[in-house]
């Protein structure tokens, strides 16, 4: 095999191997498989010396790759070892990343898959693979950069897999706290008597497919003279634009939908905020130094006069952190499936 093809095969294989095993870990984190297998925990999985181990493995992987590149004849043993280390690195790079950052990780892994395809395209002299892989790789990298800016994360840290919690850090449980819960009727009463309501859609809304019921609820509130708007976090859901697509599907008027930077200053003068299945993107811990999500821009829901939060349970979000918002005196929890709860609110508003 010519030297040029060996280089292309080396790069395409180790990038593809890291992408594959990293994607498996990302899937497990997002699927909530942490209870069955610790590596899939949505909280960062960290241990002492983790970054040093990753660096050593990366150097060894590159060393075997160079041996494969420089070797003549039978050098496939070095190639196999390099590939095995790459699979292991994919796991080790993703496990220290908290679930709240997974949308950025997914975008970056998509980019890696494109570069891997492009690399193999050169080896196979396949123009289609080269072009398609380059498009996927470059667009994924651009999207990741945009998401990093929105999440206040370092783009270089994403590429190196080091933007989870610090070594040895872990999410802390808040212990036993008291929450105030209410019914859909209570939520309907509070919103119908408000002058302004902001709805914050999250992944719970997407899972329940509640966007059409939310549109109907907003229509009934508007008929009662309530100003209704929607606040969209840049990475709410699985990927950027997830919530925008769901609301557009339900034909929510575009002028009612506001991005985070446009609506954050309005929460302080808003009577009621309804949070539907969102968690980390409204967590005030993002403002506290030392928190694993410190610096992440959030929707300032905690500044509003009354907060209604719909969740199935008090389980933590993908970051594995408790949310102080749920325990505030101004907050009322409404437990249940988002679609059913919203439908019950619609009935109460009739």
């Amino acid at each position: 095999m010519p030297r040029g093809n060996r280089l292309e095969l080396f790069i395409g294989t180790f990038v593809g191997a890291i992408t594959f095993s990293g994607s498996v870990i990302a899937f497990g984190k997002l699927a909530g498989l942490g209870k069955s297998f610790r590596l899939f925990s949505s909280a960062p999985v960290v241990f002492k010396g983790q970054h040093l181990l990753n660096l050593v493995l990366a150097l060894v992987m590159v060393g075997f790759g160079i041996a494969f590149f420089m070797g003549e004849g039978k050098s496939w043993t070095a190639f196999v070892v390099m590939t095995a280390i790459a699979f292991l690195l994919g796991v080790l790079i993703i496990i220290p990343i908290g679930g709240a950052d997974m949308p950025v990780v997914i975008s970056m892994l998509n980019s890696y898959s494109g570069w891997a395809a492009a690399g193999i395209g050169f080896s196979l002299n396949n123009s289609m693979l080269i072009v398609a892989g380059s498009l996927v790789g470059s667009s994924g990298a651009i999207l990741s950069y945009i998401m990093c800016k929105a999440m206040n994360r370092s783009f270089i840290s994403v590429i190196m897999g080091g933007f989870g919690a610090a070594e040895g850090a872990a999410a802390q449980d808040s212990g036993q706290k008291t929450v105030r819960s209410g019914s859909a009727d209570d939520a309907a009463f509070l919103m119908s008597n408000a002058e302004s309501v902001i709805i914050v859609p999250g992944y719970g809304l997407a899972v329940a497919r509640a966007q059409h019921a939310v549109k109907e609820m907003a229509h009934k509130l508007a008929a009662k003279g309530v100003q209704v708007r929607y606040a969209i976090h840049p990475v709410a859901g699985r990927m950027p634009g997830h919530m925008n697509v769901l609301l557009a599907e339900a034909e929510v008027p575009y002028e009612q939908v506001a991005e985070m930077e446009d609506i954050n200053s309005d929460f302080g003068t808003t009577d009621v905020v309804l949070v539907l299945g969102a968690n980390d993107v409204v967590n005030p811990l993002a403002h506290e130094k030392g928190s694993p999500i410190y610096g992440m821009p959030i929707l300032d829901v905690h500044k509003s006069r009354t907060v209604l939060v719909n969740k199935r349970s008090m389980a933590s979000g993908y970051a594995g952190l408790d949310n102080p918002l749920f325990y505030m005196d101004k907050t009322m929890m409404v437990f249940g499936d988002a679609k059913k709860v919203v439908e019950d609110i619609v009935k109460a508003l009739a």
Side-chain angles (χ1 to χ4, degrees):
M1 181 183 293
R3 284 277 174 83
N5 291 118
R6 284 176 176 268
L7 178 62
E8 295 156 3
L9 184 59
F10 160 51
I11 295 175
T13 300
F14 90 75
V15 173
I18 290 175
T19 302
F20 178 79
S21 57
S23 297
V24 171
I25 297 299
F27 166 79
K29 284 176 174 282
L30 293 175
L33 302 180
K35 294 180 180 179
S36 303
F37 192 40
R38 185 168 180 266
L39 291 183
F40 292 145
S41 172
S42 60
V45 178
V46 294
F47 53 85
K48 290 184 178 180
Q50 190 170 29
H51 298 317
L52 179 60
L53 175 62
N54 289 348
L55 176 61
V56 171
L57 286 175
L59 292 175
V60 173
M61 179 191 71
V62 172
F64 277 103
I66 294 175
F68 168 70
F69 171 68
M70 299 297 294
E72 297 291 346
K74 296 181 179 179
S75 58
W76 291 101
T77 299
F79 176 80
V80 172
V81 174
M82 178 271 297
T83 304
I85 295 175
F87 276 118
L88 179 60
L89 265 179
V91 174
L92 293 176
I93 286 175
I94 302 302
I95 59 173
I97 300 175
D101 296 321
M102 291 314 296
V104 187
V105 175
I106 292 171
S107 177
M108 203 65 234
L109 289 171
N110 285 340
S111 177
Y112 290 164
S113 69
W115 299 125
I120 298 301
F122 282 104
S123 298
L124 300 177
N125 292 321
N126 188 316
S127 299
M128 180 64 74
L129 270 179
I130 296 172
V131 173
S134 298
L135 286 173
V136 173
S138 56
S139 60
I142 293 171
L143 177 59
S144 298
Y145 177 75
I146 294 172
M147 294 172 69
C148 285
K149 294 273 288 184
M151 297 283 286
N152 196 28
R153 302 301 193 195
S154 166
F155 183 68
I156 299 300
S157 294
V158 175
I159 295 175
M160 301 305 293
F163 72 116
E167 286 190 15
Q172 300 276 332
D173 278 335
S174 62
Q176 295 296 324
K177 293 182 179 178
T178 302
V179 298
R180 184 166 65 98
S181 63
S183 64
D185 290 341
D186 297 327
F189 175 80
L190 289 171
M191 287 191 290
S192 62
N193 286 280
E195 292 184 2
S196 58
V197 171
I198 295 179
I199 300 172
V200 178
Y203 188 63
L205 176 142
V207 171
R209 301 179 181 178
Q211 61 268 31
H212 295 284
V214 170
K215 163 70 182 306
E216 185 180 359
M217 178 187 70
H219 179 73
K220 287 186 175 294
L221 288 172
K224 293 177 177 291
V226 181
Q227 180 193 30
V228 180
R229 289 179 295 168
Y230 299 81
I232 307 297
H233 191 278
V235 292
R238 286 294 187 254
M239 296 292 285
H242 192 173
M243 297 300 109
N244 301 73
V245 170
L246 291 178
L247 296 179
E249 179 189 334
E251 299 183 352
V252 171
Y254 182 77
E255 59 273 12
Q256 292 182 6
V257 181
E259 301 297 327
M260 179 179 66
E261 60 270 15
D262 298 324
I263 202 170
N264 246 359
S265 59
D266 296 342
F267 281 110
T269 57
T270 300
D271 293 324
V272 179
V273 173
L274 174 61
V275 180
L276 292 170
N279 197 328
D280 297 318
V281 297
V282 296
N283 193 333
L285 287 178
H287 296 316
E288 296 186 12
K289 289 185 178 181
S291 166
I293 61 172
Y294 174 68
M296 185 183 88
I298 63 167
L299 292 165
D300 292 329
V301 169
H302 58 283
K303 295 182 179 179
S304 60
R305 293 165 186 162
T306 301
V307 182
L308 304 175
V309 180
N310 166 241
K311 280 172 60 68
R312 290 178 180 272
S313 68
M314 289 298 293
S316 60
Y318 290 121
L321 297 174
D322 203 19
N323 193 335
L325 174 70
F326 303 157
Y327 308 103
M328 292 182 176
D329 293 337
K330 67 173 69 176
T331 301
M332 184 177 77
M333 305 295 296
V334 184
F335 295 107
D337 176 80
K339 184 176 182 180
K340 185 178 186 310
V341 167
V342 174
E343 288 175 344
D344 289 342
I345 292 175
V346 170
K347 292 177 182 178
L349 291 172

